[in-house]
């Protein structure tokens, strides 16, 4: 008979203040619960009828948006398992710029389905194995579901059609106008080799007032401010870009000058003026007719710039300054002085125009076919979408939809294949994985089947957000029936429910990027598997000393 050795639970392995949770109940199921809360939070914002969230971030800035990428960026998620999901959706955002919400919803649903299997007694490794098999099968089947691809050469109409579903999921009702604007801007900057398309060359400038119908695409860079000086229009000229302030040089340390007579006072100020005049004379002699200032412009400097007939524009954003340097092909200078021929840039047109009552400055290079074009195709092309709207929140949301649209174009240029949208692809994948799971042996088949049912969450959420919960389940069963019939792969959710809540996506041209779906499936599965493979959470004590006691609200009252 063996003696039982008493087990001590108080072994001092970590410092005081550490937290440790382990085991299925404490670690895995708690993580699943946290991830489920995060995915439920963004689930109601999915699809064209998704609800907006009103967020106030730690700086007190207000956001009204249904864009999942913005929502998770502005809410500070602290739970370590939920952070894994946030990282997966951020990877999707940086890679594709779209389908971030799909990653969060699908990963959350996969974990909710795995919870039942864990409670039944399956080991997490069996579930992980099943999910990985199902993901490989889903990616293989996705390749076969491509119904069409973006035609090359691209036309305004084909690009608009491909963009509409992505933009409609953010701005339902405005998708025609926005898709047309994005397609026009993208075609204006499209290089000879479309794979070199740079999303940075499509800019957005928001001007308050008016309505979306007043928005337009302007060739070139637009800045929402007027020229500082008197010169408002210059053609074919050299450009100098300065990151420093255009003003009298200030000493770093405090200097004291003792002036005894009025003559000394005049000599002191005249010396400064002559020094500044000499600098601007040199700049003018080098042939520069436009100056871009990255900081302030002094009154005296402005006087000399006007005298030498040089236009000056303030651009305070370093990102805009960097982009502008690329357009005019200039080197930003940190000192005042005449630029060398290599440092100076060149612009075809610099002018101040009026857009909806606001004065804006446009810098642009002439394009092929325009009068005065000199045949230099290497010039960087830029297009700016000038957005009009009633409130700043609405304009911000429109800008997010446009960013998604431009990113979709970039992903379609890499991989032009399209698959049926509106949840049709997910239902078809669910059906095929269900069949595949039925033919497997061992415990992994349960996880494969759960993966198939988890994929239903996409069409179900689309239907629930548009038509309500009970109607959503009915639409899902109708979709299953249509997908079971021969050739029914393209049936998806009709968010307007004009007939029975289902529609043929190929007829209505609701098509999604195949590459975005591939990444979303892969990242959602990886995030779910990462959370399932965790069996212990160890959290160290937060850094910093004790909290400073807060004063009572009414401490100064008698």
């Amino acid at each position: 008979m063996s003696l039982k050795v008493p087990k001590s639970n108080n072994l001092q392995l970590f410092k005081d203040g550490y937290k440790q949770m382990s085991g299925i109940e404490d670690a895995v199921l708690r993580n699943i619960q946290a991830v489920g809360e995060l995915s439920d939070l963004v689930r109601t914002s999915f699809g064209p009828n998704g609800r907006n969230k009103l967020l106030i971030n730690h700086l007190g800035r207000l956001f009204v948006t249904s864009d999942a990428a913005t929502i998770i960026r502005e809410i500070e998620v602290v739970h370590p398992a939920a952070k894994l999901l946030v990282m997966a959706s951020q990877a999707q955002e940086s890679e594709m710029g779209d389908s971030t919400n799909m990653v969060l919803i699908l990963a959350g649903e996969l974990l909710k389905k795995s919870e039942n299997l864990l409670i039944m007694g399956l080991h997490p490794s069996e579930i992980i194995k099943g999910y990985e098999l199902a993901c490989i099968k889903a990616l293989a089947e996705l390749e076969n579901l491509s119904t069409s691809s973006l035609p090359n050469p691209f036309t305004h109409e084909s690009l608009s059609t491909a963009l509409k579903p992505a933009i409609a999921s953010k701005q339902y009702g405005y998708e025609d106008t926005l898709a047309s604007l994005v397609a026009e801007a993208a075609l204006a900057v499209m290089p000879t080799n479309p794979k070199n398309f740079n999303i940075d060359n499509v800019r957005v400038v928001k001007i308050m007032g008016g309505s979306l119908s007043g928005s337009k695409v302007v060739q070139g860079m637009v800045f929402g401010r007027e020229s500082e000086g008197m010169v408002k229009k210059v053609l074919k000229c050299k450009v100098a870009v300065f990151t420093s302030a255009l003003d009298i040089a200030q000493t770093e340390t405090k200097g004291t000058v003792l002036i005894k007579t009025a003559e000394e006072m005049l000599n002191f100020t005249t010396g400064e003026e002559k020094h500044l005049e000499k600098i601007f004379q040199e700049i003018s002699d080098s042939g520069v007719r436009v100056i871009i200032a990255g900081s302030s412009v002094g009154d005296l400097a402005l006087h000399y710039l006007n005298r030498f007939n040089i236009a000056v524009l303030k651009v305070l954003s370093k990102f805009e300054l960097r982009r502008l340097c690329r357009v005019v092909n200039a080197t930003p200078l940190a000192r005042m002085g005449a630029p060398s021929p290599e440092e100076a840039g060149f612009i075809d047109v610099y002018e101040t125009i009026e857009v909806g009552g606001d004065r804006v400055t446009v810098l642009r290079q002439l394009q092929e076919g325009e009068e005065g074009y000199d045949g230099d195709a290497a010039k960087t092309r830029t297009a700016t979408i000038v957005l009009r709207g009633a409130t700043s929140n609405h304009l911000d949301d429109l800008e997010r939809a446009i960013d998604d649209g431009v990113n979709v174009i970039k992903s379609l240029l890499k991989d032009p294949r399209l698959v049926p949208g509106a949840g049709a692809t997910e239902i078809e994948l669910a059906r095929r994985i269900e069949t595949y799971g039925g033919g497997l042996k061992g415990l992994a088949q349960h996880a494969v089947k759960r993966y198939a049912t988890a994929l239903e969450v996409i069409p179900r959420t689309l239907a629930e957000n548009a038509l309500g919960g009970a109607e959503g389940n009915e639409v899902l069963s109708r979709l299953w029936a249509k997908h079971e019939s021969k050739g029914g792969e393209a049936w998806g959710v009709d968010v307007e429910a004009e007939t029975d809540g289902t529609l043929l996506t190929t007829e209505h041209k609701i098509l999604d990027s195949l590459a975005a779906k591939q990444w979303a499936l892969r990242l959602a599965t990886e995030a779910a598997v990462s959370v399932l493979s965790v069996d212990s959470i160890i959290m160290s004590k937060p850094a910093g000393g004790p909290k400073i006691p807060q004063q009572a609200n009414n401490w100064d009252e008698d």
Side-chain angles (χ1 to χ4, degrees), residues 153-204:
F154 312 112
T155 62
H156 185 275
E157 193 186 347
S158 66
L159 274 180
S160 295
T161 308
L163 287 173
K164 272 179 200 172
I167 291 175
S169 67
K170 302 284 181 295
Q171 290 293 330
Y172 189 45
Y174 299 121
E175 67 270 22
D176 292 339
T177 315
L178 289 171
S180 176
L181 286 169
V182 175
E184 190 185 332
L187 286 170
V189 300
M190 192 68 72
T192 21
N193 178 5
K195 290 196 174 169
N196 296 336
F197 174 75
N198 187 353
I199 55 172
D200 260 5
N201 292 342
V202 177
R203 298 179 63 249
V204 176

Side-chain angles (χ1 to χ4, degrees), residues 181 203-218 221-226 352-362 384-399 402:
L181 286 169
R203 298 179 63 249
V204 176
V205 166
K206 298 168 283 189
I207 297 178
M208 281 251 277
S211 65
L212 182 64
S213 56
S215 304
K216 61 177 182 178
V217 175
V218 177
M221 283 191 85
V222 177
F223 296 95
R225 62 191 303 154
E226 240 185 302
T352 299
I353 59 170
E354 200 165 298
V355 175
D358 281 41
R359 305 278 287 169
V360 296
T361 304
V362 181
T384 304
I385 299 170
V386 179
L387 274 182
R388 308 302 311 281
T391 64
S392 60
N393 277 324
H394 183 51
L395 282 171
D396 287 344
D397 221 22
L398 289 173
E399 186 186 12
I402 283 175

Side-chain angles (χ1 to χ4, degrees), residues 245-251 269 272-273 275-276 280 298-301 336:
L246 298 182
D247 207 349
I248 297 156
Q250 300 285 330
T251 53
T269 53
E272 280 186 334
E273 287 174 19
H275 174 65
L276 209 56
F280 289 120
D299 291 342
L300 191 60
M336 271 207 304

